């Protein structure tokens, strides 16, 4: 039953590239934010790349994804075009949502990407519905539902886990435990910091995985997805990770020390994976620079695409308040 | 159900039965339709609307849910996004507050915020209103609140015919629709003509024409307004009774036409007065038909208190026929 992660060379480089793409994309977001090309709230994913890359690697295009406002990594790992994500953040008509959602609200129907959601916990009930619809329509799809550990404190989390188990819905719950919800340390928020244990309270099986190790995440996710699909049962993955940057762009980070962040940076998923590849002679210096150059180009192309985009005419602002038809 | 079109006959049914027939018809017509809600299956529905449907359609399509309003309403939103046509029952509007996040932040937001990538063809039914001596936490009328929200269609069937046929229109709408069924109407009986097979879900309806004063209302207050019109007629005052039927989008045209004719208007709304749908209606009249008016606007609303249990207190809080009559009379024949 267990699916082995193919540790072939090309796949390893693919994983590395996917993580570097996210890291560079976020760095570009910061630049554009400082230049006031991107406005509003911006939640970056640095440090957590292995989670979305590893999990989404285990999904098929027929599977569905639900994410949070910190969803750049999920969208990129899913293969949504970086250009339309960048354009979305720059408020452009060629953005994935015409510039209406911004950083926190990427949607892409063609990739079954059911959205970033800026209400903590708000996406979880949607996962029930998407999985239920798939099940009732005879599709064998899995819904991957990403959320931060902060969402576990919301009632919607508990309602959703109970129903998911009760109705045997094919949902992979992915708890991105980055140890803080804004400034609230996990130990200060939880009576029990063992999230897998919490899931077991709903008789949902699960496991903790080192969210800084992309291969470990991918391997756990593959097994989990297989299991969810074949048993039509939810499963719970707690990915233990860390957010390197501030919560959003307005955060003086008074709640943690620089040393703590530095310690975690040393365990960073890209650094760690690259070091491992190098130590095992699985990557050559040229290969790394080829990846880095290719990603640089992609990001530059994304920014160019976004910059070239026009603005949605204000006269169209009422469109889709109510829909005229159901898109197919 | 299968009565021939050519030979219309009327059957006498209750509002409750009409709601059930509508659900049954929807389940038969479209395999993507399914029902979710608390105690809709084995229990038969807290107002017995869904009684018998579990037996006929099975547990897959008549889904009893645990007490998790947010989760099952959100599940309705997600299922609608992924190709189903869910009908979600929330026992009463009072409990819908626990699902407000899913209704407001997801159901009505995602179509617009996703740039039109997703429609949410979701129908939510809930009971509303007071009069059953069940005290404040079970007696609210919050349909006016919901009518505040762009992207929703708000239906308030006040007749057996609307209870029977509004659902069909709601399911054909690609947008989230909330149907508010007033608790005092479930036992109401009325003739349902078999030559009617659908109703519109866009327009208000004139139940009784009149030239002296417009009584504009909806839902549970319609029957009170009609009784008031009878009483006023005995006094020589001809009241026109308008049933709004749809609180969002409001049929402003029908309101303005009536008021332009009668030049006087009483709005009857079981919601609280402040910031209410009655305030919205009044403001639209002032904006668009101010110079047509011969008298100030009047409102009969619920008293601004949590609706109490004791019968005499509850009665004093809700709009009543006598208060409607008094308000209308005062406008037509000021003392
Ligand atoms: C219901 C709700 N409450 C509060 C907030 C404000 N808020 C935004 S993000 C956040 C922290 C959430 O932390 P977590 O779920 O762990 O995710 P992370 O940001 O760490 O990825 C809070 C409190 C919100 N958006 N929604």
């Amino acid at each position: 039953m267990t699916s082995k992660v193919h540790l072939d060379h090309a796949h390893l480089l693919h994983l590395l590239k996917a993580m570097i793409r996210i890291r560079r994309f976020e760095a570009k977001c910061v630049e554009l934010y400082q230049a006031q090309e991107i406005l509003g709230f911006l939640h970056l994913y640095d440090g957590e790349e292995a989670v979305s890359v590893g999990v989404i690697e285990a999904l098929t295009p027929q599977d569905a994804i639900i994410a949070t406002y910190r969803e750049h990594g999920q969208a990129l790992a899913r293969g949504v075009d970086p250009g339309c994500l960048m354009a979305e953040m720059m408020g452009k008509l060629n953005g994935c949502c015409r510039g209406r959602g911004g950083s926190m609200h990427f949607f892409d129907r063609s990739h079954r990407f059911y959205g970033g959601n800026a209400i903590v916990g708000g996406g979880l009930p949607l996962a029930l519905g998407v999985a239920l619809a798939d099940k009732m329509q005879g599709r064998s799809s899995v819904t991957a539902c990403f959320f931060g550990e902060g969402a576990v404190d919301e009632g919607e989390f508990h309602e959703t886990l109970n129903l998911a188990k009760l109705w045997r819905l094919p949902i992979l719950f992915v708890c991105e435990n980055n140890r803080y919800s804004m400034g609230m340390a996990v130990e200060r928020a939880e009576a029990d910091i063992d999230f897998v244990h919490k899931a077991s309270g709903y008789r949902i099986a699960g496991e903790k995985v080192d969210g800084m190790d992309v291969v470990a995440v991918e391997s756990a996710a593959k097994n989990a997805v297989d299991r969810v699909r074949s048993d039509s049962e939810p499963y719970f993955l707690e990915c233990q990770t860390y957010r390197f940057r501030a919560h959003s762009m307005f955060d003086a980070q008074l709640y943690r020390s620089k040393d703590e962040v530095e310690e975690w940076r040393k365990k960073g998923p890209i650094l760690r994976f690259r070091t491992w590849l190098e130590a095992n002679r699985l990557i050559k210096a040229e290969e790394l620079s080829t990846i880095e150059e290719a990603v640089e180009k992609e990001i530059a192309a994304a920014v160019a695409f976004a910059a070239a985009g026009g603005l949605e005419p204000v006269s169209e602002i009422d469109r889709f308040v109510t829909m005229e038809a159901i898109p197919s | 159900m299968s009565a021939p079109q050519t030979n219309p006959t009327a059957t006498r049914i209750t509002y409750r039965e009409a709601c059930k027939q509508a659900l049954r018809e929807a389940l038969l017509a479209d395999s993507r339709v399914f029902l979710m809600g608390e105690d809709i299956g084995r229990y038969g529905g807290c107002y017995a609307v869904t009684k018998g449907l579990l037996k006929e359609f099975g547990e897959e399509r008549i889904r009893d849910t645990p007490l998790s309003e947010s989760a099952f309403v959100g599940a309705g939103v997600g299922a609608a996004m992924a190709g189903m046509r869910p009908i979600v029952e929330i026992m009463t509007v009072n409990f819908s507050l626990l699902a407000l996040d899913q209704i407001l932040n997801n159901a009505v937001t995602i179509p617009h915020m996703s740039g039109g990538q997703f429609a949410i063809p979701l129908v939510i039914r809930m009971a509303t209103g007071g009069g059953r001596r069940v005290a404040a936490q079970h007696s609210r009328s919050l349909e006016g609140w919901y009518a505040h929200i762009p992207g929703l269609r708000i239906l308030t069937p006040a007749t057996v015919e609307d209870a029977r046929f509004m659902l069909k229109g709601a399911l054909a709408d690609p947008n989230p629709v909330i149907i508010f069924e007033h608790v005092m109407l479930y036992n109401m009986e009325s003739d349902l003509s078999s030559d009617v097979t659908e109703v519109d879900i866009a327009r208000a309806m004139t139940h009784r024409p009149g030239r002296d004063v417009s009584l504009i209302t909806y839902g549970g207050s319609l029957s009170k307004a009609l009784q008031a019109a009878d009483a006023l007629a005995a006094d020589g005052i001809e009241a026109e009774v308008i049933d709004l039927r749809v609180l969002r989008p409001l049929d402003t045209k029908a309101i303005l036409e009536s008021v332009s004719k009668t030049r006087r208007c009483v709005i009857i709304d079981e919601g609280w007065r402040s910031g209410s749908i009655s305030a919205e209606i009044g403001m639209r009249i002032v904006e668009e038909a101010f110079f047509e008016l011969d008298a100030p606007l009047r409102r009969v609303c619920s008293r601004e208190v949590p609706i109490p249990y004791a019968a005499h207190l509850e009665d004093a809080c809700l709009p009543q026929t006598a208060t409607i009559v008094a308000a209308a009379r005062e406008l037509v024949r000021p003392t």
Side-chain angles (χ1 to χ4, degrees):
Chain A
M1 242 210 47
T2 54
S3 343
K4 278 258 182 298
V5 174
H6 294 292
L7 288 179
D8 68 66
H9 187 232
H11 183 68
L12 294 172
L13 296 193
H14 163 78
L15 292 177
L16 183 66
K17 184 173 181 179
M19 291 197 293
I20 292 177
R21 180 184 293 117
I22 296 171
R23 186 70 61 92
R24 294 300 308 144
F25 185 89
E26 299 296 58
K28 183 55 77 178
C29 289
V30 174
E31 264 177 53
L32 292 170
Y33 198 86
Q34 281 157 353
Q36 296 188 18
E37 298 274 356
I38 296 176
L39 306 174
F41 286 143
L42 180 63
H43 306 88
L44 301 172
Y45 200 60
D46 300 52
E48 307 185 39
E49 295 90 346
V51 177
S52 62
V53 169
V55 170
I56 292 171
E57 207 50 55
L59 303 179
T60 70
Q62 289 73 44
D63 295 330
I65 294 178
I66 289 183
T68 71
Y69 48 86
R70 196 185 300 286
E71 88 287 35
H72 301 181
Q74 283 80 1
L76 289 168
R78 182 59 166 182
V80 182
D81 173 45
C84 59
L85 300 180
M86 211 52 109
E88 182 61 26
M89 288 188 282
M90 285 164 67
K92 299 294 185 72
L93 183 57
N94 58 347
C96 59
C97 303
R98 305 165 70 94
R100 291 171 170 200
S103 160
M104 302 189 287
H105 303 292
F106 295 161
F107 286 83
D108 187 344
R109 186 186 182 87
S110 62
H111 285 89
R112 298 206 79 196
F113 198 82
Y114 288 89
N117 202 309
I119 305 299
V120 173
L124 283 133
L126 296 182
L128 291 173
V130 171
L132 181 63
D134 282 340
K135 190 169 177 170
M136 288 181 81
Q137 291 170 105
R139 294 189 285 258
S140 64
S141 300
V142 169
T143 297
C145 178
F146 291 86
F147 53 92
E149 87 291 344
V152 174
D153 305 335
E154 298 283 0
E156 289 187 324
F157 170 86
H158 298 274
E159 293 188 9
T160 298
L161 261 72
N162 182 54
L163 253 181
K165 178 67 184 186
L166 198 65
W167 287 355
R168 304 192 60 210
L169 297 178
I171 302 176
L172 175 63
F173 291 104
V174 184
C175 176
E176 304 188 285
N177 179 5
N178 63 14
R179 310 186 68 83
Y180 291 92
S181 54
M182 287 184 65
M184 190 69 166
V186 63
E187 299 81 8
R188 296 180 58 232
E190 307 298 323
D192 174 5
I193 60 163
D194 185 340
F195 296 102
V196 174
H197 184 231
K198 285 190 184 182
S200 76
Y202 299 101
R203 296 176 171 268
I204 294 178
E207 71 197 273
K208 294 183 190 52
V209 56
D210 181 351
M212 304 308 252
D213 177 348
V214 68
V215 175
V217 174
E218 185 187 3
S219 145
K222 284 215 150 134
N223 287 331
V225 166
D226 281 351
R227 189 173 161 153
V228 169
R229 208 186 305 281
S230 62
D231 303 353
S232 187
E233 284 266 7
Y235 192 83
F236 192 95
L237 266 192
E238 177 192 337
C239 299
Q240 299 183 320
T241 181
Y242 196 79
R243 149 168 76 66
F244 290 171
R245 291 192 189 259
H247 166 74
S248 71
M249 304 308 273
F250 312 95
D251 172 9
Q253 302 191 65
L254 303 174
Y255 49 86
R256 64 182 187 183
S257 69
K258 288 208 166 71
D259 289 349
E260 179 183 308
V261 180
E262 271 323 299
E263 277 311 302
W264 277 94
R265 278 191 182 273
K266 287 181 201 153
K267 300 186 247 177
I270 297 177
L271 179 64
R272 176 164 162 189
F273 190 48
R274 202 191 70 203
T275 312
W276 179 79
L277 289 172
E278 286 165 350
N280 290 284
R281 296 177 191 286
L282 289 164
I283 190 167
K284 300 191 194 94
E286 313 87 80
E287 287 172 327
L288 181 60
S289 49
T290 308
I291 287 176
E292 282 173 340
E293 280 160 29
V295 167
E296 265 343 295
K297 271 197 195 138
E298 271 181 43
I299 305 285
V303 174
F305 174 82
L311 299 175
E312 176 167 24
V314 175
S315 60
E316 293 195 8
I317 194 60
D318 291 336
R319 274 185 81 187
F320 315 125
V321 171
T322 52
M323 299 286 287
E324 279 160 26
I326 296 169
S328 47
Chain B
M1 291 273 303
S2 55
Q5 296 273 319
T6 44
N7 179 19
T9 51
T11 26
R12 200 161 178 80
I13 63 167
T14 60
Y15 183 97
R16 169 185 293 107
E17 177 63 22
C19 292
K20 182 195 297 183
Q21 285 185 14
L23 292 168
R24 189 168 173 270
E25 179 186 52
L27 286 155
L28 289 170
D30 186 344
S31 63
R32 297 169 305 177
V33 170
F34 69 101
L35 273 46
M36 274 192 284
E38 292 160 3
D39 275 322
I40 63 167
R42 290 212 194 161
Y43 190 92
C46 61
Y47 293 101
V49 169
T50 50
K51 200 166 152 198
L53 295 180
L54 173 65
K55 197 161 172 228
E56 184 172 0
F57 296 98
E59 288 188 346
E60 270 280 297
R61 298 183 72 199
I62 310 295
R63 292 185 166 260
D64 272 324
T65 66
L67 306 183
S68 304
E69 285 81 5
S70 197
F72 68 75
V73 170
V77 177
M81 287 173 84
M84 299 297 284
R85 296 288 180 279
I87 302 175
V88 173
E89 173 177 312
I90 302 178
M91 282 183 166
T92 79
V93 67
N94 309 280
F95 320 141
S96 77
L97 302 182
L98 283 86
L100 203 46
D101 172 45
Q102 290 299 322
I103 297 171
L104 180 52
N105 283 318
N106 284 340
V108 300
T109 302
I110 288 173
H112 189 264
M113 195 163 66
S114 69
Q117 292 183 73
F118 294 97
I120 317 278
L122 167 68
V123 176
I124 303 175
R125 301 171 40 245
M126 54 180 109
T128 187
R132 283 174 46 93
R133 319 309 186 202
V134 287
Q137 292 175 339
H138 282 76
S139 303
R140 306 198 195 281
S141 293
L142 300 178
E143 48 280 357
W145 270 21
Y146 282 100
H148 180 63
I149 303 173
L152 283 179
R153 183 182 294 277
I154 304 296
L155 303 180
T156 54
T159 63
V160 167
E161 192 171 280
D162 277 350
R164 175 65 184 84
F165 295 114
M166 274 184 161
L167 180 71
K168 202 186 206 176
L171 283 166
D173 190 324
N175 300 292
V177 178
I178 307 185
I179 304 179
F180 286 95
E181 298 161 8
H182 195 285
V183 283
M184 297 304 280
L185 297 180
Y186 285 119
N187 290 329
M188 175 177 75
E189 263 192 347
S190 169
D191 286 341
L192 190 65
S193 157
S194 67
D195 58 357
V196 179
T197 55
E198 54 185 36
V199 296
D200 78 82
I201 54 162
R203 283 188 291 280
M205 180 184 257
T206 308
H207 274 266
R208 175 184 178 126
R211 53 156 204 250
D212 295 328
V213 58
S214 300
L215 305 181
I216 296 179
T217 190
Y218 68 90
S221 301
L222 175 64
S223 56
K224 295 173 185 174
L226 287 167
Q227 282 163 18
D230 283 342
L232 289 163
D235 232 6
I237 296 173
E238 286 182 29
E240 175 151 296
V241 179
I242 307 279
D243 174 9
L244 291 168
R245 300 179 67 244
V246 188
L247 299 191
R248 187 181 189 100
L250 265 180
D251 185 356
T252 310
K253 188 162 161 273
I255 296 168
L256 298 180
E257 274 172 13
S258 176
V259 173
S260 301
K261 183 174 75 174
T262 62
R263 298 180 177 268
R264 294 175 187 85
C265 173
V266 181
I267 306 158
I268 304 108
D269 172 13
E270 203 180 303
W272 290 304
R273 173 184 304 253
S274 304
S276 62
I277 189 76
S278 66
E280 177 60 31
I281 295 163
M283 196 62 203
R284 288 192 192 195
I285 294 170
V286 169
E287 282 173 337
E288 315 253 343
F290 183 74
F291 294 107
E292 307 296 326
L293 295 174
D294 279 350
L297 299 172
R298 286 282 179 262
R299 284 187 280 166
V300 177
C301 298
S302 282
R303 203 180 269 241
E304 303 217 354
V305 298
I307 306 295
Y309 158 71
H312 70 294
L313 295 177
E314 178 169 47
D315 290 345
C317 286
L318 302 178
Q320 301 296 354
T321 303
T323 44
I324 302 167
V325 170
R329 190 177 282 142
E330 177 66 21
L331 278 188
V332 182
R333 301 204 187 119
T335 43

